[in-house]
Amino acid sequence: MFENRWKEMQAWGFPSVQNKNELKWLYDNIEGANSYLEIGTSFGGSLYVIAGALKPGSTIVSVDLPKYRSNANKWGRDLKHFERVDWVADNLRAD
C-alpha cells in the first residue's frame, strides 16, 4: 500500500520533502493507528501517504505556518484523496 500512496502523491503533485525510506519506516510503524499529528505539513505529501496507514475513521491533525496556507488549500480541495479518514480542517492563527 505504501508504494501505491507514494506514486499517487507524486502523480497528483503533492510533493514530500521527507526521504522516501524514512517515510516508509514511519508508515510501517504506525499502520493501523487511529490518530496522527503532523507538525510542518507544507505541501501535504507525507500527510497523504501516512493517511493510508491509518484505520478508517481516524483523526488527522495537521499544523503548519500561515505562509503554507495556499499549499494546504490545494490538498484540502482534494479531500477525496483522503477517503480513509474523516476530515476536519481548521485554520489556527496567532493574535
Side-chain angles (χ1 to χ4, degrees), residues 16-30:
S16 174
V17 295
Q18 189 72 35
N19 175 283
K20 182 179 179 181
N21 292 329
E22 292 172 346
L23 195 58
K24 171 93 169 81
W25 180 90
L26 178 61
Y27 185 100
D28 291 344
N29 283 279
I30 68 164

Side-chain angles (χ1 to χ4, degrees), residues 53-74:
L54 304 177
K55 291 179 183 177
S58 293
T59 300
I60 293 176
V61 176
S62 168
V63 179
D64 214 322
L65 298 172
K67 74 178 185 174
Y68 292 107
R69 186 174 186 183
S70 62
N71 297 333
N73 286 340
K74 179 181 178 183

Side-chain angles (χ1 to χ4, degrees), residues 33-54:
N34 59 15
S35 63
Y36 178 69
L37 167 64
E38 183 167 287
I39 299 173
T41 302
S42 187
F43 296 101
S46 61
L47 183 68
Y48 172 77
V49 172
I50 295 301
L54 304 177

